Amino acid sequence: MKLDLKKDLLQKEIPTNNWLWKDSQPEVIRNVSVNVELPLNKENELVMKKLIDFVRYSQDPELNKKENEDYLRPAVGLAAPQIGSNVNMFFARFEWDVETNDVEEFAMINAKIIAKSDQICCLSDGEGCLSVDTNHKGLVPRNYKIQVQGYDWLTNEEVDLTLRGYHAIVFQHELEHNNGQLYYDRINKEEPDFKDENWIII
């Protein structure tokens, strides 16, 4: 997606790193988020719009150039606590192919995991996070398959999603933000690169 800042932003501000809250601010990042009423009030609607604008902007290489003074680390997802709001919302954007516009977007409200597999998976290079500036190396074990229920703000409907692999990892990462958890909480403290022979490595 190539953003036109004059017409494509959902709110008035150009996304900036100043929006981000860090793990050094546990009063928000480590706090448990609350579910919100639907339809969203103006305050929560602004939060959702900022989440969407931030992720879309961060993935646009023409606007978000590395030489920019306020370069944003490209994000696949962003949860409301990361911009200072403890409400159960997050946005995830999977851009599989720019040329064919193969993109999936999920603007989730009050999402929750209702089922998960015993099978464990992880990303081979570990995970990162816009709210974490210190590099925490190690494998992050997560459920390979999850079932998630919630409300999608983009489609204005209740959704029941079955997610596997990378999709499931991203959703779990964002959902845990809303529970006050961070990816490095899952890394084996004694052996960061520990992996079981039965894990699926992605």
Side-chain angles (χ1 to χ4, degrees):
M1 178 179 186
K2 294 183 178 179
L3 281 180
D4 184 332
L5 294 180
K6 293 182 178 179
K7 65 178 183 179
D8 291 337
L9 288 181
L10 301 179
Q11 45 79 58
K12 296 179 181 179
E13 299 179 39
I14 294 176
T16 170
N17 282 301
N18 291 331
W19 289 3
L20 297 175
W21 286 58
K22 304 291 184 174
D23 58 355
S24 58
Q25 299 165 295
E27 65 274 15
V28 171
I29 292 299
R30 289 298 190 174
N31 199 12
V32 177
S33 294
V34 298
N35 283 348
V36 297
E37 291 187 6
L38 293 168
L40 296 180
N41 60 31
K42 288 185 179 180
E43 180 181 355
N44 288 332
E45 188 174 73
L46 178 59
V47 171
M48 179 57 81
K49 288 178 177 179
K50 281 189 168 185
L51 294 175
I52 295 171
D53 283 346
F54 190 103
V55 173
R56 287 177 175 173
Y57 182 91
S58 78
Q59 290 186 13
D60 189 322
E62 293 185 11
L63 291 174
N64 186 38
K65 297 178 180 178
K66 287 189 175 182
E67 59 267 26
N68 289 358
E69 185 176 345
D70 192 31
Y71 173 71
L72 309 181
R73 280 188 284 165
V76 177
L78 195 68
Q82 294 182 270
I83 58 171
S85 185
N86 282 124
V87 291
N88 186 2
M89 300 193 297
F90 71 87
F91 176 67
R93 185 173 195 273
F94 302 88
E95 190 170 80
W96 303 112
D97 192 318
V98 178
E99 293 184 2
T100 62
N101 198 32
D102 185 6
V103 174
E104 292 178 287
E105 293 186 327
F106 303 88
M108 300 301 298
I109 300 172
N110 301 338
K112 61 181 179 180
I113 295 175
I114 62 168
K116 53 190 177 182
S117 67
D118 291 331
Q119 176 67 61
I120 299 298
C121 69
C122 64
L123 297 179
S124 61
D125 295 330
E127 297 181 19
C129 179
L130 294 178
S131 292
V132 180
D133 290 335
T134 302
N135 188 18
H136 294 266
K137 292 184 178 181
L139 298 179
V140 184
R142 297 193 183 277
N143 302 97
Y144 175 74
K145 179 182 176 182
I146 59 174
Q147 184 179 355
V148 176
Q149 289 182 346
Y151 185 87
D152 191 325
W153 186 79
L154 289 173
T155 59
N156 293 311
E157 62 183 357
E158 296 286 342
V159 294
D160 190 324
L161 306 169
T162 298
L163 305 161
R164 296 173 177 83
Y166 186 61
H167 280 96
I169 288 173
V170 171
F171 265 64
Q172 287 171 86
H173 181 113
E174 302 307 332
L175 283 163
E176 287 189 348
H177 270 300
N178 288 320
N179 287 321
Q181 299 169 306
L182 294 169
Y183 76 91
Y184 57 73
D185 298 340
R186 289 182 166 273
I187 296 174
N188 187 307
K189 300 298 184 289
E190 296 179 359
E191 192 179 345
D193 292 325
F194 171 82
K195 57 183 175 183
D196 187 276
E197 62 181 9
N198 295 316
W199 289 5
I200 295 174
I201 310 299
I202 298 174

